[in-house]
Amino acid sequence: MLKIIDRYIIKKYLGTFSFMLVLLSVVVLVIDVQSKIPRIQSATLIDPKLNVTYFLIHFYPFWIINLVMTFLSILVFISVIYFTSRMANNTEIVAIISSGASFHRFAKPYLITSLFIAVLSLGINHFVLPWANIQKNQLEAYTYNARNKEKVLGTAPASAQLSRTEYIFVNSWNKADKRGSGFVFQKFDKNRKMTYELKASDVLWDKVKKQFVLNNYLEKTINKDDTEKLANGVELRKSFGHDPEELFPNELLGQNKTTPELLKFIKRETEKGNSNLNAHLNELHQRTSMPISIVILTFLALSLSSQKKRGGLGINLAIGISLAFLFVFSFEALKVVSENKSMSPALAMWFPNIIFFPIALYLYLKRANQ
């Protein structure tokens, strides 16, 4: 049962965290909108409805959700340092400990609140955030610079491996229009000998019937005796079992899937022989490792700020912000390392927690024994 002191600390924890959350959201939103107005305005040349107001309604609410969940553990860390340092400077912690409560008892509401936020964050990361990312990613490319926008919306060669023996190649595929030219589908036997080939001058995706439409096609079937059977025509409709987003995925695809969907996608791609899955595996492991870091960083912040120091709140915040940037930088750096296949995604996404956990445990036990 929660006592008055527990409710008091939980109220301070959640109050400070909520204030930091709103403050960060408003400040970053204003800065981002101001910096991207020219790019958003250029999007009206493509579609007149894509104005600043449209983005404020249909893009930025979901962008904020993504931003908050990315930096949630850091917000918690700085919030705990801030309100705990103020309590220490006001000698509230000394009074609580002097009344007979142990430091472990004093830390109980910190544990309860951090676990509450962590569990809530887990649910959002695995099931709600992918929905928000779908809405965000539909418009995010229009906020990129010209080079990055071309990567997402422009025309480029594309390829897909349907299975260990089936491949698709498109010489020029436009991701925005879902159409391309120079289509080739090839099928091989277990000895890597081609048994079937389908070529088409043009290809487009029919989103109503969920089929690829191949124009001016040529089919070639190679028999066991090396004889060939040819067929051609003006139009052929084919379904390859997946829509273009999954056949020719980009790094945003993993963000758009709930965890059960992402696990199925990774399993299917692995069975097909696709080895370029580290970006999606990073996304999968980060959804759990980041919420767990909330509990670790809460106790690290408590240990660093629960004693009155010379320099007071300022020195604690300086230490906290420095560690926060180190934590975020390590996550982003390890993502790159993992995507380059220099480290397994599981280790990369859990490594910051593996490092920070013993540090937090040591400092907490040291503080508790003083």
Side-chain angles (χ1 to χ4, degrees):
M1 185 175 179
L2 295 179
K3 296 186 177 180
I4 294 175
I5 188 60
D6 296 322
R7 292 194 293 271
Y8 175 73
I9 292 174
I10 291 172
K11 183 178 178 180
K12 275 187 170 292
Y13 191 141
L14 294 177
T16 307
F17 170 68
S18 301
F19 173 77
M20 293 281 189
L21 186 63
V22 173
L23 182 65
L24 173 76
S25 301
V26 172
V27 170
V28 174
L29 175 63
V30 171
I31 293 172
D32 196 77
V33 172
Q34 286 289 336
S35 66
K36 291 179 179 175
I37 279 180
R39 297 176 188 174
I40 294 173
Q41 289 174 337
S42 68
T44 58
L45 300 175
I46 302 172
D47 188 340
K49 75 177 182 181
L50 299 178
N51 52 36
V52 175
T53 303
Y54 187 86
F55 271 78
L56 287 172
I57 297 172
H58 296 91
F59 171 72
Y60 275 106
F62 308 106
W63 180 82
I64 286 291
I65 293 173
N66 180 276
L67 179 79
V68 166
M69 297 312 298
T70 301
F71 294 99
L72 189 64
S73 56
I74 301 307
L75 280 172
V76 165
F77 184 57
I78 295 174
S79 299
V80 173
I81 281 184
Y82 180 78
F83 85 81
T84 306
S85 295
R86 292 196 63 181
M87 289 179 67
N89 288 341
N90 294 334
T91 65
E92 293 177 73
I93 297 176
V94 172
I96 293 169
I97 301 298
S98 299
S99 68
S102 67
F103 189 77
H104 298 301
R105 178 63 185 85
F106 171 72
K108 179 182 175 181
Y110 287 83
L111 176 63
I112 293 170
T113 314
S114 64
L115 285 174
F116 169 75
I117 297 174
V119 171
L120 185 63
S121 175
L122 273 171
I124 293 173
N125 274 357
H126 287 284
F127 298 101
V128 179
L129 185 59
W131 165 78
N133 285 334
I134 291 173
Q135 317 305 316
K136 172 184 74 74
N137 292 338
Q138 288 176 351
L139 295 170
E140 187 163 34
Y142 296 104
T143 68
Y144 293 165
N145 58 36
R147 182 179 178 182
N148 290 329
K149 186 190 296 184
E150 182 66 20
K151 289 181 180 179
V152 179
L153 299 177
T155 301
S159 61
Q161 183 175 350
L162 298 179
S163 69
R164 295 184 184 276
T165 58
E166 296 176 305
Y167 302 87
I168 290 176
F169 305 94
V170 184
N171 186 51
S172 178
W173 176 257
N174 187 284
K175 295 177 182 178
D177 297 335
K178 295 182 175 59
R179 62 171 59 237
S181 61
F183 175 90
V184 179
F185 168 68
Q186 295 177 333
K187 188 173 182 178
F188 298 82
D189 62 18
K190 61 182 181 180
N191 297 318
R192 307 303 297 167
K193 179 184 176 182
M194 187 187 297
T195 58
Y196 177 80
E197 184 177 57
L198 172 63
K199 293 184 177 181
S201 60
D202 300 297
V203 58
L204 63 91
W205 172 250
D206 185 340
K207 65 180 181 181
V208 177
K209 295 184 178 180
K210 297 188 181 301
Q211 292 177 325
F212 285 93
V213 181
L214 308 175
N215 297 317
N216 302 318
Y217 69 91
L218 172 65
E219 280 185 296
K220 180 170 68 174
T221 303
I222 304 171
N223 300 315
K224 292 183 179 180
D225 59 0
D226 290 335
T227 58
E228 297 180 355
K229 179 182 177 181
L230 302 177
N232 67 301
V234 177
E235 181 181 293
L236 179 67
R237 290 178 173 269
K238 293 280 285 185
S239 174
F240 295 102
H242 308 289
D243 58 25
E245 286 78 10
E246 293 208 358
L247 279 179
F248 314 121
N250 56 34
E251 65 275 9
L252 301 179
L253 179 66
Q255 297 180 9
N256 296 349
K257 293 182 176 294
T258 62
T259 296
E261 293 170 342
L262 184 56
L263 286 168
K264 288 180 182 177
F265 172 76
I266 291 171
K267 181 181 179 182
R268 185 171 65 241
E269 291 297 304
T270 302
E271 290 172 350
K272 285 161 47 178
N274 186 353
S275 60
N276 297 316
L277 294 171
N278 280 18
H280 303 302
L281 288 167
N282 286 342
E283 173 69 23
L284 176 65
H285 291 294
Q286 185 176 340
R287 291 181 182 182
T288 301
S289 64
M290 289 297 279
I292 297 300
S293 69
I294 289 173
V295 180
I296 296 172
L297 293 180
T298 291
F299 279 86
L300 180 60
L302 170 62
S303 305
L304 289 171
S305 58
S306 58
Q307 275 188 314
K308 191 171 183 179
K309 296 186 183 76
R310 183 178 297 176
L313 179 61
I315 190 65
N316 284 338
L317 282 177
I319 295 171
I321 292 171
S322 299
L323 287 172
F325 275 106
L326 177 62
F327 188 82
V328 171
F329 175 78
S330 64
F331 255 110
E332 295 306 314
L334 288 167
K335 273 186 185 179
V336 175
V337 171
S338 173
E339 288 172 13
N340 291 333
K341 300 184 179 180
S342 300
M343 182 182 289
S344 73
L347 179 59
M349 292 299 95
W350 284 95
F351 193 73
N353 285 348
I354 293 171
I355 295 299
F356 275 75
F357 173 72
I359 295 173
L361 181 62
Y362 169 75
L363 292 176
Y364 172 78
L365 294 176
K366 181 181 177 183
R367 175 67 182 90
N369 293 327
Q370 285 179 346

